[in-house]
Amino acid sequence: MTTHRVLTTLGCALAAVLATAWSTAPPAQPGTRPAAPTTVRTHHGLVRGAAHDGYRTFEGLPYAAPPVGSLRWAPPRPAADWAGVRDATRPASACPQPAGEVPGGSTDEDCLHLNVTTPDGARPAHPRPVVVWLHGGGFTTGAGSSYDAHRMATRGGVVVVTVNYRLGALGFLAHAGLPGSGTFGLADQQAALRWVRAEIGAFGGDAHRVTLAGESAGGYSVCAQLASPAAAGLFDRAVIESGPCTGRADRPFAPSSVPLSTARATGADLAAKAGCGSAHDVTACLRRVSVPRLLAAQGGDQQPAYATPLLPSAPEAAITSGRFHHVPVLLGGNHDEGNGWAAGIIQAGHPVTRGTWPDVAATFFPSPGEAEAIVREYPVHRTDGGPVFGAVVGDADFACPTARTDDLLSAHVPVWRYEFADEHAPPLTSGTPPFPLGAPHASELPYLFDLGGRPRDLTAAQRRLADTMIDYWTAFARTADPDGPSSPHWSRRTVQSLAPDHIAPTRTARLRHHCAFWNALTARGGASG
């Protein structure tokens, strides 16, 4: 295995390393109000959820048929009806994935379920805006049930839907003659959105005010749905967190898509590793392979395929040409996106020092002349190797692509852009990093959700910031404008910096300088940005 593949796998495994942040919630403490059941009628049958203090939850609701047997690697089919009352008080299985965010992983393909959190005031006669959340995890890990959305529902007065979708090779395999190649996970997301349009009214949601939101791979999924003709009419606003639409496959840390030809080559490699490469009917052979064997055969990173019926163009090409769904967008990222990867790579035994920096840079930017230019633009001195490497990853993979996405989208639709900048954001992993991480990738999530049901470990100032962020996000879901009566003014013409006791337009001179560097490097055939 090459050094590049080793380090790339380390980078793509970051979401799995975050498992300690949002694994299974601890049991309820004494004095917790017992959950009272509540029942709602859907088109498929009755469901019984749970009542809490100010909100209700309905978990494990099927939005499509189990993708098993002949439906493995098939577009999602409608869920079956059921008799009686279906229990919806516990989450269903996560989609198949290696151990990480989901303790022990999952091998259960019957996973196309979603979860609804609705405030007590939401009723069919008085519907509330809906936020549909797509989880991150590199298109390889994650589960909708990891995101406890009760604070967003109760403070913001919105109905929140969190979604499971097929992951890894089971979600993104491509093979000649296989309809839906490379986009099964994206098709699942669209099936969930169709479920929301049809069913959410019974839970007190407004089917005509649906915001599609996600982070990292979930954010890039929102980009893909903006670009997908099949998603027309399925959502009314979009929130993209740390998943810029201009991500590229040659940048291993940010999510991206690949052409169908590349996805098919990856699929052929998977088939060979799974023992089906020379089978007369490769797809039939693969459908007989066990889930653990498929998980062992798949690579560490996954991308949806474009040049497909569901995704005719890469999201960047679609928004560049203006051929995307014209809905308002809230877009942003974190001030120190790359620091988590830099820290993980250093801790894995690859120090970044003045002496090693040229080789590390060349590993990730191998085109002729790239590494030399990067080392000059981002010099490493005596003890700052980790933060410098983190800044390169953050600028090249996230900050500059986010700025580019903003420019492309805002030529056609209203865009509000933020930067999460709490330099003391609580860590999402255990242990001591080799340098302070600041506001790295995914660090904004505990401000919006209780990950794994765990209450936030935030200071009073951070709790105020969390409330303000929820106010912004849910005002956007209500009105397509994040400005609200209880939040500082947010102008479309500025990048709002979000930090405790400092919510104001951010200074972008440094970023403009570095993005000009990356743009020049791109223009001569090098890095994206």
Side-chain angles (χ1 to χ4, degrees):
M1 180 180 288
T2 65
T3 301
H4 182 271
R5 172 57 64 184
V6 170
L7 299 187
T8 297
T9 301
L10 281 169
C12 293
L14 177 65
V17 175
L18 301 180
T20 55
W22 50 65
S23 54
T24 307
Q29 297 300 312
T32 300
R33 177 180 174 179
T38 185
T39 302
V40 168
R41 181 178 296 277
T42 74
H43 287 91
H44 295 291
L46 294 168
V47 297
R48 183 182 66 252
H52 309 273
D53 186 10
Y55 66 100
R56 294 168 292 156
T57 55
F58 301 84
E59 300 180 279
L61 303 177
Y63 66 84
V68 299
S70 64
L71 296 186
R72 180 189 277 184
W73 297 306
R77 305 289 175 83
D81 297 344
W82 56 83
V85 180
R86 183 185 182 98
D87 179 69
T89 60
R90 297 184 302 276
S93 295
C95 285
Q97 58 191 277
E101 177 182 326
V102 175
S106 173
T107 59
D108 189 352
E109 292 181 85
D110 182 5
C111 65
L112 298 186
H113 300 86
L114 51 76
N115 314 286
V116 177
T117 304
T118 183
D120 278 350
R123 295 289 186 271
H126 302 285
R128 302 293 182 88
V130 180
V131 176
V132 178
W133 179 257
L134 303 177
H135 67 78
F139 295 110
T140 304
T141 65
S145 57
S146 296
Y147 298 82
D148 180 332
H150 79 273
R151 290 188 288 115
M152 187 178 290
T154 55
R155 181 176 179 86
V158 298
V159 175
V160 184
V161 180
T162 64
V163 179
N164 288 355
Y165 54 93
R166 280 175 283 182
L167 302 166
L170 288 164
F172 299 98
L173 175 77
H175 189 270
L178 185 61
S181 273
T183 59
F184 300 109
L186 299 181
D188 294 342
Q189 295 167 5
Q190 292 181 1
L193 287 166
R194 288 192 292 271
W195 184 97
V196 168
R197 286 293 203 207
E199 304 287 359
I200 204 64
F203 298 86
D206 186 345
H208 302 290
R209 282 190 294 172
V210 175
T211 297
L212 183 62
E215 182 267 345
S216 195
Y220 193 79
S221 293
V222 176
C223 296
Q225 301 303 347
L226 284 169
S228 173
L234 294 181
F235 57 98
D236 310 284
R237 343 218 191 284
V239 176
I240 302 167
E241 300 178 28
S242 301
C245 300
T246 55
R248 286 172 37 166
D250 59 358
R251 294 291 159 262
F253 302 111
S256 63
S257 53
V258 294
L260 180 59
S261 58
T262 300
R264 284 179 173 172
T266 301
D269 183 59
L270 173 87
K273 290 179 179 177
C276 294
S278 59
H280 174 71
D281 187 334
V282 172
T283 302
C285 177
L286 284 171
R287 284 180 171 141
R288 293 191 294 268
V289 174
S290 69
V291 171
R293 190 173 177 188
L294 285 173
L295 292 177
Q298 73 182 24
D301 48 355
Q302 300 289 322
Q303 294 97 11
Y306 63 86
T308 60
L310 187 143
L311 194 60
S313 302
E316 179 176 11
I319 65 173
T320 299
S321 65
R323 293 193 298 270
F324 66 96
H325 304 304
H326 286 195
V327 301
V329 176
L330 192 158
L331 166 74
N334 298 350
H335 186 272
D336 306 295
E337 290 276 6
N339 279 358
W341 283 289
I345 289 167
I346 290 170
Q347 289 177 314
H350 302 277
V352 180
T353 66
R354 187 172 183 176
T356 64
W357 179 220
D359 289 338
V360 172
T363 297
F364 291 95
F365 303 93
S367 296
E370 278 190 303
E372 294 90 339
I374 291 166
V375 169
R376 287 194 301 270
E377 180 73 10
Y378 296 83
V380 167
H381 299 292
R382 299 181 67 180
T383 60
D384 61 350
V388 169
F389 185 27
V392 168
V393 172
D395 289 351
D397 288 39
F398 292 96
C400 297
T402 297
R404 172 70 172 157
T405 300
D406 182 357
D407 290 342
L408 294 172
L409 290 171
S410 59
H412 303 277
V413 300
V415 177
W416 284 265
R417 186 165 141 219
Y418 74 89
E419 180 183 70
F420 177 76
D422 183 1
E423 63 179 333
H424 301 294
L428 295 178
T429 60
S430 58
T432 302
F435 61 91
L437 300 185
H441 191 65
S443 59
E444 89 284 5
L445 291 176
Y447 294 69
L448 298 171
F449 301 96
D450 286 359
L451 301 178
R454 285 182 167 83
R456 303 158 293 168
D457 183 16
L458 304 178
T459 66
Q462 289 172 329
R463 288 195 295 272
R464 289 193 296 271
L465 173 60
D467 289 345
T468 299
M469 290 173 62
I470 287 173
D471 291 344
Y472 279 139
W473 267 238
T474 55
F476 181 76
R478 270 192 307 278
T479 68
D481 185 334
D483 273 342
S486 59
S487 303
H489 177 66
W490 185 344
S491 169
R492 280 172 52 190
R493 295 181 297 276
T494 64
V495 181
Q496 193 81 332
S497 179
L498 305 175
D501 298 321
H502 182 76
I503 299 172
T506 186
R507 298 177 181 177
T508 57
R510 184 203 70 85
L511 182 60
R512 282 197 299 268
H513 170 79
H514 284 305
C515 290
F517 164 80
W518 290 106
N519 289 339
L521 211 56
T522 300
R524 73 186 205 201
S528 68

